[in-house]
Amino acid sequence: MRVADEVEGRPLEEAELVDRARHGDVEAYGELVDRYRPVAFRAAYLVAGNAADAEDAAQEAFVKAYYALGRFRAEAAFRPWLLRIVTNEARNRRRSAGRRERLALRLSADRRPGDAAPSPEAAVMDRAMKEAILVAVSELREIDRIVIAYRYFLDLSEAETADVLGVRRGTVKSRLNRALARLRERLPEGARPSGMEAVDG
């Protein structure tokens, strides 16, 4: 039986899993790994630039996070704390490898279940717009690429993004505004997606 099924048939909350893991429950930590593996990989990929390094960085980050659980503040959110470790590990790998490969980011705003299927023409236009955005984002500086990716591709809140980056929320706003301005300069006419507007101060 999985840990998530142990309490009256309902999944355990993140805080409960973290608390159990901090007290040596390896199965509870396994649940956390299963829950956050996809977002950890995507975050690592944003920095590392290739799947092999991203996979290694995410795995190493989960190991380091497990051994650092004693320093985790119980009132904090686990996901941003974990993603900070993932980002640092991916940065270290990229730095040591000296890689400067172009990233191929995947937008998280894919068609949701229940949405009407787009026409073939609309699907081609949508795909072309996404490709243009991905190319433009991949050409940005790492600091711009990461703040855009965390907010819009990984769907982190402003507070979570600030936590992962280790900065204040106001800093996230200003970095995001500058990054979006640089992104808009690189995008061709008609490839300006909704939902990626500048943030009001």
Side-chain angles (χ1 to χ4, degrees):
M1 183 190 326
R2 292 171 68 80
V3 174
D5 299 326
E6 285 183 3
V7 180
E8 300 172 2
R10 68 170 175 82
L12 289 176
E13 296 294 325
E14 176 186 277
E16 295 174 276
L17 287 171
V18 172
D19 186 58
R20 289 183 179 208
R22 290 181 73 196
H23 289 89
D25 187 334
V26 177
E27 235 181 285
Y29 192 69
E31 280 296 315
L32 290 167
V33 171
D34 288 346
R35 188 175 293 187
Y36 293 114
R37 182 180 283 121
V39 72
F41 174 80
R42 289 197 304 271
Y45 193 85
L46 293 171
V47 179
N50 66 78
D53 284 347
E55 187 65 39
D56 289 347
Q59 287 182 8
E60 185 64 24
F62 278 118
V63 172
K64 288 185 175 180
Y66 180 75
Y67 287 110
L69 278 174
R71 298 193 303 273
F72 177 74
R73 289 179 293 117
E75 69 277 6
F78 182 76
R79 184 170 74 155
W81 179 79
L82 172 67
L83 291 180
R84 187 183 308 162
I85 296 172
V86 169
T87 300
N88 288 338
E89 187 61 31
R91 272 195 183 122
N92 291 341
R93 286 178 181 274
R94 183 178 179 121
R95 209 173 286 132
S96 65
R99 299 184 191 277
R100 287 291 177 265
E101 297 175 7
R102 206 167 85 170
L103 295 182
L105 305 174
R106 211 164 75 187
L107 289 173
S108 62
D110 289 335
R111 189 164 62 91
R112 291 172 175 77
D115 287 353
S119 69
E121 296 83 5
V124 168
M125 290 300 293
D126 187 48
R127 189 163 43 250
M129 185 177 85
K130 285 183 181 180
E131 285 299 319
I133 294 168
L134 295 177
V135 168
V137 170
S138 73
E139 293 172 347
L140 294 173
R141 299 177 312 159
E142 181 181 275
I143 193 172
D144 295 332
R145 190 173 67 241
I146 286 177
V147 75
I148 288 174
Y150 280 178
R151 283 291 283 124
Y152 297 110
F153 300 168
L154 300 182
D155 291 327
L156 296 186
S157 69
E158 192 175 272
E160 288 174 325
T161 302
D163 199 7
V164 172
L165 297 176
V167 299
R168 298 199 318 250
R169 288 180 65 173
T171 304
V172 169
K173 284 184 180 181
S174 59
R175 282 188 188 177
L176 194 57
N177 282 335
R178 288 193 296 270
L180 289 173
R182 291 184 185 111
L183 176 62
R184 280 192 293 273
E185 290 171 4
R186 293 177 177 273
L187 288 174
E189 201 63 40
R192 308 244 169 128
S194 60
M196 291 179 72
E197 295 83 13
V199 182
D200 293 331

